[in-house]
Amino acid sequence: MFHLQSLELVHWDYCQRVSLPLDASIITIAGPNGSGKTTLLDALRTLLGLKCSSPRDFKTYARHAGANIAWLRAVVDNQAQTRQTSSRPFAKRLLYSDQVTLACRIERNGGDWQRRYLVLEGDVSIEQLTDIPDKDLGLMGIEAWGRVLSAAGLSPAIAKVLSLEQGQTDRLCEFSPRELLRLVFDVFGDQEVLGHYDTAREHQQQLGREMEQAAHELDHSKAQLAELQNRVSNFQTWQHKVQEHERLATEVVPVLEWHGQRQKLTERSRDQRRHRQNASQNTTQRSSDNARLLQLLEQRNQGDTQVTQLLQERDAAAVQRDSTRDLERPLEALAKREAELLALVDKESDAEALTAHLDTLRTSESSLQSKHSALLQKRELTAQAQSALEGQNTPPFPDDARRLRQRLQAQKIGHRFLAEVVEVRDEHWRAAVEGVLRASRWMVLLEHADDVAAADAIASADRYRHYITAPGDTAPQADADTLLAHIRFDAKVPRWLLQQLQHLRCVDSPAAGRKTSGSWITPQAYSFDGRGARSLWVEPRDHQFGAAALIARRDAVERDLRSLDAALGPLGQELRDIRLQIKDCQKSLAGHSAAQELADRNDEFSAAKQALPAAKQARIAASLHWQSLDTAYADAKTRHQQTDTQYRQLELSLRQKHQEADRQAAELLATRKLHTANIDSSNHRRRQIPAAWRAPHVVQALVRTYQNDTQARLRLQSVHEELQLDTWEKDATVEERFRRMEVLVREQGYSLGDHQAKNAQAGIAVHNARESYIEVLRSTVRRYRKNIQELGELAGVAVNADLPVLENDDTVLAQAGLKVHFNFDGKGSIGLNDGEASGGQQVIKSLILLVALLKDDETASGGFVFIDEPFAHLDVRNIQLVGHFLRSTQAQYVLTTPITHNLEVFEPAEITLITSKKPKNAKWAPPIAVAKRRNAPAAV
């Protein structure tokens, strides 16, 4: 590998033009932070086609100078690398002089910067390069430049090492064993053997790809074969359906139609015989029914006569009963008057007692008047409730629901109350339905979800106590034993209500419900849930759901009215009697004598008392006589009505039977004529069908397959519709194409087998090439181990490397690694990056690994190394160790270090380049000072 001798920069960063000598083994670039040390290293990296320190690039440095063109030029040696060979680094470029000029021209191209490289024989200045035409310079791009330098010894592996950034000097010792082994082989490996191995492997991979292509083509052909096979099957199915369609149309349908007609004719013959037998039985039954009808007529006439006679006798008894009652009533009134006067006589002598009796009567009158008024008021309210129900289709709404409806309708919000959408399917479970839904009957069911917010605002303002719900779900099909099965909803209701009704099972009694689990309810609205059992009974007058609820309310109101009327009659009579007694007391207090009235009317009261028992007895006897006649009349009338009903039903039945018999006789005659005609038609069709088609076993087979002509006709229609589809393959050549594709698939199978055999042979060749590669790899590892051991001796470090396990297998080779061990000062073995080494030891480890890559078969070294601040964070002792190691090797080093009070960092340097910061107002940086050690040896 070549060495650097000088470097020249033009318009690079803030350097206007700088020429620097590099003809020494160790060059140190020193200066304060930010003075351009890394800038010089990045100039060398850019000249060699490497990446600059992150995040910088060559464009950044070119822009800082403010010029359109920047130059980087270096003079390197082109002498033979070892004594055993006369080959020069740039011999492949036909450059045989001892010096070679490497240059990089960076120029602005439009809005971007572009770099071009060139290599010329000898020491050619930038002015000379500028005078040479571009076509004679042989400018090249970054990729071609990389190939030129790689041929001169700057391999991609060393290029990676040279690209190490600031503070990463110890990066090599951080490589994994696999990475280190790969790097060593890239530098030292026999490229011819590696190329042969890569060629053999590429050939095997190519054969593998060809085999995969052949397999892919075979799979594709198989797919085409399968597609053709499907098309052949489709074509054959189409042919089969065409044949089936023709057979169904010409044979199956006519035969089964004829067979079905014959079966129908046979069945009709049986029906006609059965009809004749039924007609004979009906004639006998009609004769018996006629005799029964005459008997019922005679019984009806007798019953009519008996009812008329009993009605006359009952009416006469009623007249006699009323006359006896009319005779008894005045006698009862006289007896009652006498009793009242007798009760008053005892109190007439005592005015205080009479007054107290009057007060008592008035108190009783007031109490009775209050009861009478309360009953009248209750009757008036009941009558109003009855009037409110007149003309209504549903029970009335409560006031809060009515007010809410008015406000919702004013806002045009569609809604319905739950009470309006519930209908009880089974009245047996009405009480249960009314009880469960009573608390939710005035729940508002909105029709549109968009109205929820407006409805909430209205209900909140009215303090409405019932739910406002968005549109719910349609009631599903309920289980038969649930309460939901007995309810019909005319609108969507909330899901929770449906679930509640679905989970509430109907049981006949509480005892039956206790034997099961879950919630239940009885027809009497006794319900059980997880909290316990209770009654949900609702009085019929409070029923709400459906038309039956309105009827129940009306019946309850009518019963209440009758009950109130029955209570008002006796109470009114009692009130009138008390008022009459009050008048008598008032008359007595005014001077009227009850004893005088008794004396004056004594004869009248005595006669009434004597006549009253006989009149009462006569009234009772007349009433009993009328009651017995009324009962007899009712029984006779009931029997007469039953007899008359039986007579009318039997008469109507006989009339219908006569009409039905006449109709059946006419139909039987017409059916017989039609049946005869159908038999003749069937026989004619039978003669038209071939005998082989209508053989019994053939017909039975058709029946087993198609059952009847209707199913065969449906099958014919189905086949016809299938044949009308465009999915059928109708090309008869598809079978021939399928046979040709079968031949092609077999040939491709043979070709795939041939490719597999060739791939196996290539695998053997790869195996042999890998054997050679492994031998070279073993030799390379031994060579590198020798180099690091020799360098370790120079650095005073015991270095050893474990030879990797190498087998003839790509997986094993890919996982192989080079494990290197270091022993500093006899303190024990440490690995590449196990955290046991100090900072200086890390640097020495990396330098040993790095410089070992530059050593040839002999002990001479070659190449150069860029190390940015190798002495950072090192103490004096470690600086001395690193410096001693650098002096003991013969590689060329370009080092950077900041200005420090520790002068040990300058001790190894033969040439020291001193950089300075650019003044604030200056355009260019100050010149770089060069300090050269006396009697310093030239770079090897």
Side-chain angles (χ1 to χ4, degrees):
M1 183 176 173
F2 57 88
H3 292 119
L4 301 172
Q5 293 184 350
S6 65
L7 174 66
E8 186 175 9
L9 311 177
V10 177
H11 295 155
W12 176 257
D13 197 51
Y14 296 107
C15 298
Q16 184 176 15
R17 184 161 187 168
V18 176
S19 296
L20 302 173
L22 300 178
D23 54 343
S25 296
I26 301 177
I27 302 98
T28 298
I29 303 174
N33 293 333
S35 61
K37 299 187 297 299
T38 305
T39 300
L40 294 180
L41 291 185
D42 285 341
L44 289 171
R45 291 188 179 106
T46 302
L47 181 61
L48 298 175
L50 307 177
K51 291 183 179 180
C52 296
S53 302
S54 177
R56 310 177 191 181
D57 61 4
F58 73 94
K59 300 177 184 179
T60 304
Y61 294 113
R63 281 196 302 268
H64 288 171
N68 292 326
I69 297 178
W71 283 93
L72 304 176
R73 187 183 75 91
V75 177
V76 301
D77 71 318
N78 190 31
Q79 298 178 5
Q81 299 177 11
T82 62
R83 294 187 296 273
Q84 286 74 18
T85 177
S86 62
S87 176
R88 296 175 180 267
F90 294 95
K92 293 184 178 180
R93 297 288 298 179
L94 303 179
L95 302 178
Y96 298 102
S97 63
D98 291 341
Q99 289 182 327
V100 170
T101 298
L102 306 180
C104 173
R105 187 178 72 183
I106 304 172
E107 59 184 344
R108 189 189 302 272
N109 187 5
D112 198 6
W113 292 89
Q114 186 179 25
R115 55 182 172 177
R116 290 283 185 253
Y117 294 92
L118 58 93
V119 54
L120 294 176
E121 190 170 17
D123 185 356
V124 184
S125 67
I126 293 178
E127 286 76 12
Q128 294 174 333
L129 294 175
T130 306
D131 295 338
I132 300 174
D134 288 353
K135 62 181 181 179
D136 297 333
L137 285 176
L139 296 174
M140 64 189 74
I142 185 66
E143 294 182 358
W145 185 246
R147 291 192 293 270
V148 170
L149 296 184
S150 178
L154 185 63
S155 66
I158 296 179
K160 293 180 183 179
V161 177
L162 294 177
S163 298
L164 291 177
E165 298 182 13
Q166 184 176 1
Q168 296 180 333
T169 308
D170 57 348
R171 177 62 60 85
L172 279 181
C173 68
E174 294 180 1
F175 276 22
S176 67
R178 290 174 56 188
E179 293 174 336
L180 182 60
L181 179 63
R182 176 63 59 185
L183 178 63
V184 169
F185 190 79
D186 287 343
V187 176
F188 288 126
D190 189 339
Q191 299 301 317
E192 182 178 357
V193 174
L194 178 61
H196 179 65
Y197 171 55
D198 291 339
T199 302
R201 187 169 57 181
E202 178 63 26
H203 179 64
Q204 183 192 25
Q205 292 175 353
Q206 179 64 27
L207 289 177
R209 288 191 293 269
E210 293 178 358
M211 184 177 64
E212 292 178 358
Q213 179 66 23
H216 176 71
E217 292 177 356
L218 178 60
D219 293 339
H220 180 67
S221 298
K222 287 182 178 180
Q224 290 182 326
L225 180 65
E227 181 182 0
L228 286 174
Q229 185 175 11
N230 292 333
R231 294 178 62 185
V232 169
S233 300
N234 188 285
F235 174 74
Q236 294 174 349
T237 304
W238 176 75
Q239 286 184 322
H240 174 72
K241 288 189 178 295
V242 169
Q243 297 171 359
E244 183 183 8
H245 183 273
E246 182 179 0
R247 181 169 178 267
L248 285 169
T250 58
E251 176 184 352
V252 176
V253 172
V255 171
L256 288 179
E257 186 176 5
W258 168 78
H259 176 68
Q261 185 182 18
R262 297 289 295 183
Q263 287 183 325
K264 291 179 181 178
L265 291 175
T266 303
E267 186 64 28
R268 288 173 184 172
S269 297
R270 296 193 188 98
D271 291 341
Q272 287 182 358
R273 288 194 296 272
R274 188 164 54 253
H275 288 328
R276 288 195 294 270
Q277 294 174 358
N278 292 337
S280 176
Q281 294 175 358
N282 291 336
T283 301
T284 303
Q285 182 64 33
R286 284 200 302 275
S287 299
S288 174
D289 291 341
N290 285 329
R292 173 62 179 164
L293 183 64
L294 292 175
Q295 181 181 1
L296 289 175
L297 178 60
E298 183 178 356
Q299 292 179 0
R300 190 184 69 168
N301 292 334
Q302 292 177 358
D304 190 19
T305 303
Q306 184 181 7
V307 167
T308 302
Q309 180 180 356
L310 288 173
L311 178 60
Q312 293 174 354
E313 293 178 358
R314 191 195 67 167
D315 292 342
V319 173
Q320 183 180 3
R321 180 200 61 189
D322 293 339
S323 63
T324 57
R325 184 180 295 126
D326 294 340
L327 179 63
E328 181 187 14
R329 280 176 181 169
L331 297 176
E332 284 183 344
L334 290 172
K336 189 174 183 180
R337 180 59 180 168
E338 182 184 13
E340 293 174 352
L341 291 173
L342 289 173
L344 189 58
V345 167
D346 296 335
K347 298 180 177 61
E348 284 182 338
S349 59
D350 188 354
E352 294 181 359
L354 185 60
T355 301
H357 182 59
L358 178 60
D359 294 338
T360 302
L361 291 176
R362 286 177 175 172
T363 301
S364 300
E365 179 194 19
S366 176
S367 177
L368 290 175
Q369 181 63 40
S370 298
K371 292 180 180 180
H372 190 267
S373 299
L375 289 176
L376 284 176
Q377 185 178 3
K378 190 173 181 179
R379 190 187 187 283
E380 182 178 358
L381 293 176
T382 305
Q384 291 177 358
Q386 185 181 29
S387 300
L389 294 175
E390 294 298 333
Q392 298 290 331
N393 296 326
T394 58
F397 293 177
D399 293 339
D400 57 347
R402 186 166 54 253
R403 288 194 303 271
L404 183 68
R405 165 150 292 182
Q406 292 174 353
R407 295 197 60 184
L408 292 177
Q409 289 176 344
Q411 296 293 330
K412 296 182 179 180
I413 297 176
H415 69 283
R416 298 179 72 180
F417 291 109
L418 182 66
E420 297 178 288
V421 302
V422 173
E423 186 67 37
V424 181
R425 298 179 183 270
D426 188 356
E427 289 297 322
H428 180 66
W429 292 97
R430 171 169 289 279
V433 175
E434 293 281 354
V436 171
L437 298 181
R438 181 177 186 178
S440 304
R441 58 173 64 169
W442 302 116
M443 178 170 57
V444 179
L445 309 176
L446 298 178
E447 296 179 359
H448 304 289
D450 297 338
D451 296 333
V452 172
D456 285 341
I458 295 173
S460 176
D462 285 357
R463 291 182 173 84
Y464 191 66
R465 296 180 177 274
H466 303 280
Y467 289 117
I468 307 293
T469 64
D473 299 335
T474 303
Q477 184 69 29
D479 297 337
D481 61 342
T482 63
L483 190 61
L484 183 60
H486 302 299
I487 303 175
R488 178 171 61 86
F489 291 102
D490 295 335
K492 295 181 178 180
V493 295
R495 181 178 299 176
W496 60 265
L497 182 60
L498 296 174
Q499 292 176 349
Q500 176 186 359
L501 298 173
Q502 178 70 17
H503 295 158
L504 194 60
R505 291 182 295 106
C506 298
V507 296
D508 294 333
S509 64
R514 292 291 184 177
K515 295 179 180 179
T516 61
S517 59
S519 302
W520 49 263
I521 193 169
T522 66
Q524 293 76 29
Y526 191 73
S527 176
F528 172 82
D529 55 22
R531 296 168 293 181
R534 60 173 178 165
S535 176
L536 302 178
W537 176 262
V538 178
E539 292 295 334
R541 62 173 53 85
D542 293 330
H543 287 182
Q544 187 68 39
F545 303 114
L550 184 62
I551 295 174
R553 286 198 174 197
R554 287 173 178 170
D555 293 341
V557 170
E558 290 175 357
R559 287 195 299 272
D560 291 343
L561 284 176
R562 288 195 298 270
S563 176
L564 291 172
D565 289 340
L568 280 171
L571 189 61
Q573 181 62 40
E574 186 178 358
L575 185 60
R576 286 192 296 272
D577 292 342
I578 288 180
R579 286 175 178 172
L580 181 60
Q581 293 179 31
I582 291 174
K583 288 181 180 180
D584 290 339
C585 289
Q586 289 174 346
K587 289 179 181 181
S588 297
L589 290 173
H592 182 270
S593 175
Q596 184 63 38
E597 185 178 352
L598 284 172
D600 294 342
R601 300 179 66 182
N602 182 44
D603 294 338
E604 185 181 357
F605 290 152
S606 298
K609 187 183 297 186
Q610 292 178 0
L612 181 58
K616 183 180 291 188
Q617 186 65 33
R619 192 262 303 168
I620 294 174
S623 297
L624 292 175
H625 180 61
W626 174 86
Q627 187 175 3
S628 64
L629 289 175
D630 183 67
T631 302
Y633 168 73
D635 293 341
K637 185 177 181 180
T638 301
R639 289 194 300 271
H640 174 67
Q641 290 176 347
Q642 293 175 351
T643 302
D644 182 67
T645 301
Q646 292 177 1
Y647 173 77
R648 293 179 184 279
Q649 290 177 350
L650 184 57
E651 182 184 25
L652 179 61
S653 176
L654 283 174
R655 186 180 296 111
Q656 293 174 349
K657 286 182 179 179
H658 281 292
Q659 294 175 355
E660 182 67 20
D662 295 340
R663 185 186 63 78
Q664 288 180 355
E667 289 181 356
L668 186 59
L669 179 60
T671 303
R672 187 177 301 167
K673 292 180 180 179
L674 180 61
H675 184 61
T676 302
N678 290 336
I679 290 176
D680 295 339
S681 176
S682 177
N683 291 331
H684 177 70
R685 293 189 64 182
R686 180 177 181 276
R687 290 190 293 271
Q688 293 178 342
I689 298 174
W693 290 6
R694 53 183 168 80
H697 67 279
V698 175
V699 175
Q700 292 301 321
L702 292 178
V703 171
R704 285 193 300 270
T705 304
Y706 300 101
Q707 295 182 358
N708 51 47
D709 61 311
T710 302
Q711 297 297 325
R713 196 173 288 106
L714 291 174
R715 177 58 183 169
L716 175 62
Q717 181 180 359
S718 175
V719 173
H720 178 74
E721 292 176 353
E722 290 177 358
L723 290 174
Q724 297 303 313
L725 300 177
D726 295 334
T727 57
W728 295 111
E729 180 62 53
K730 301 178 182 179
D731 186 4
T733 62
V734 70
E735 294 180 329
E736 178 62 26
R737 298 209 304 272
F738 174 71
R739 286 191 290 272
R740 291 200 300 268
M741 183 56 67
E742 280 186 320
V743 174
L744 178 61
V745 168
R746 285 197 296 271
E747 292 176 353
Q748 289 180 343
Y750 299 150
S751 175
L752 178 60
D754 184 58
H755 279 85
Q756 290 173 343
K758 291 180 179 179
N759 187 64
Q761 294 174 358
I764 296 174
V766 170
H767 179 81
N768 296 333
R770 192 186 297 114
E771 286 286 350
S772 300
Y773 169 73
I774 291 173
E775 290 299 325
V776 173
L777 185 59
R778 288 194 179 100
S779 174
T780 299
V781 172
R782 293 191 187 98
R783 174 183 171 188
Y784 185 72
R785 184 176 64 175
K786 177 183 177 183
N787 290 346
I788 61 177
Q789 287 176 344
E790 291 175 351
L791 291 173
E793 291 178 359
L794 293 177
V797 181
V799 184
N800 195 13
D802 297 337
L803 295 178
V805 178
L806 302 176
E807 296 181 5
N808 198 330
D809 183 85
D810 287 337
T811 303
V812 175
L813 292 178
Q815 296 177 352
L818 179 61
K819 297 181 179 179
V820 181
H821 305 282
F822 300 87
N823 191 333
F824 290 88
D825 303 326
K827 294 181 179 179
S829 176
I830 58 176
L832 286 175
N833 191 30
D834 53 8
E836 296 292 336
S838 64
Q841 292 173 347
Q842 286 286 94
V843 174
I844 291 177
K845 287 163 57 177
S846 295
L847 290 176
I848 290 174
L849 296 175
L850 177 62
V851 177
L853 295 174
L854 306 178
K855 290 176 65 64
D856 58 8
D857 293 335
E858 299 297 327
T859 59
S861 65
F864 49 86
V865 180
F866 304 151
I867 306 178
D868 201 351
E869 298 187 5
F871 304 113
H873 310 298
L874 298 184
D875 58 13
V876 174
R877 175 56 180 165
N878 284 321
I879 292 175
Q880 293 175 350
L881 290 176
V882 173
H884 174 72
F885 175 78
L886 294 178
R887 285 194 302 272
S888 64
T889 63
Q890 297 181 359
Q892 186 178 21
Y893 298 94
V894 179
L895 311 178
T896 65
T897 182
I899 296 297
T900 175
H901 64 280
N902 191 347
L903 300 181
E904 295 293 334
V905 300
F906 302 105
E907 194 275 335
E910 299 168 4
I911 295 178
T912 301
L913 306 178
I914 303 168
T915 60
S916 303
K917 287 187 177 182
K918 181 179 77 67
K920 183 176 182 181
N921 297 323
K923 180 178 180 180
W924 305 105
I928 299 176
V930 178
K932 190 171 183 181
R933 190 181 298 273
R934 292 180 180 179
N935 300 324
V940 180

